[in-house]
Each structure stands twice: as C-alpha cells, then as structure tokens.
Amino acid sequence: QVQLVESGGGLVQAGGSLRLSCAASGRTISTYVVAWFRQAPGKEREFVAYLSWGGTSTYYSDSVKGRFTISRDNAKNTMSLQMNSLKPEDTAVYYCAARRSRGYSDKSETYHYWGQGTQVTVSS
C-alpha cells in the first residue's frame, strides 16, 4: 500500500506562487504514474497535471498550462506542484494521486492512491 500526504497549501494573493509537496510512504512510487487533481466547493474533482513514471511526459489542464509545473524526486519518494501566477479560480482542495498502470489518464477513477488534500486559497 502507498500512503500519500500533501503539504504546502495556504492563502496567497492573486499573482502569487505556492509549491505543493506530496510525500509517499509504504513503498516507492518511482515506477508509478503521478498526478494532481483539485476540487473547488460545489464542483467535481478535476484533473490538473500528470507526470509519467519515467518523468519524461507531462500533461496539464488548459486552465493551468504555462503556470503550473509537476515534478517528482524519486530519491525522496516525493512529488510536487509548483503553482505560479495564481488566480482566484485556482482556489480548491488539491490532491496528489498515484497509480500503478502506465500511460496517460486524466480520470480520477483510474488512480489507486490518494492524499487527504491540502487547501489552496487565492484572494483577489
């Protein structure tokens, strides 16, 4: 089993930056696909970013492309999401996720492991 724990959320003004981290334990996620999702109040959970197990392929939702960067550190068994130029519409609970299956997916139901979420609030 894999346990994921996010950190780094908080309150930031529009235009600011935050870096979210996700620490994995239980087993290494170096061969897992990892991703970030978010859920705003009253909305469904939505895909934010994907990183392949080899770290060579990334995908982003159109709403964050060019502003967010997903990365991983296999030596530390962690993954991160660097968020720049934040907007009020980025306000949500952010979740890290991992799955054993290879290949791209932006569907939350295809991910096996989830963190508990961290709140990001962007004020205008």
Side-chain angles (χ1 to χ4, degrees):
Q1 287 287 357
V2 174
Q3 293 79 45
L4 302 175
V5 178
E6 301 98 338
S7 61
L11 173 65
V12 64
Q13 288 188 332
S17 299
L18 278 176
R19 185 177 181 85
L20 305 183
S21 295
C22 177
S25 61
R27 63 192 312 170
T28 179
I29 58 169
S30 61
T31 58
Y32 286 41
V33 162
V34 295
W36 288 90
F37 290 77
R38 67 186 182 186
Q39 188 166 17
K43 295 187 177 181
E44 293 187 352
R45 189 169 299 188
E46 66 171 358
F47 167 77
V48 174
Y50 159 98
L51 179 60
S52 64
W53 71 272
T56 57
S57 296
T58 57
Y59 292 94
Y60 298 92
S61 67
D62 288 342
S63 61
V64 308
K65 196 174 298 181
R67 300 188 297 122
F68 290 12
T69 302
I70 186 173
S71 62
R72 67 194 303 163
D73 186 334
N74 289 336
K76 295 181 178 180
N77 215 26
T78 61
M79 54 188 285
S80 299
L81 184 70
Q82 177 66 42
M83 307 185 295
N84 298 328
S85 302
L86 283 161
K87 305 174 181 179
E89 50 263 44
D90 294 319
T91 295
V93 177
Y94 283 71
Y95 299 89
C96 59
R99 68 188 205 136
R100 297 182 298 270
S101 305
R102 305 285 173 83
Y104 170 70
S105 174
D106 59 3
K107 303 294 190 291
S108 61
E109 59 268 26
T110 66
Y111 287 80
H112 307 109
Y113 306 105
W114 291 85
Q116 82 289 351
T118 185
Q119 177 70 47
V120 171
T121 303
V122 184
S123 63
S124 57

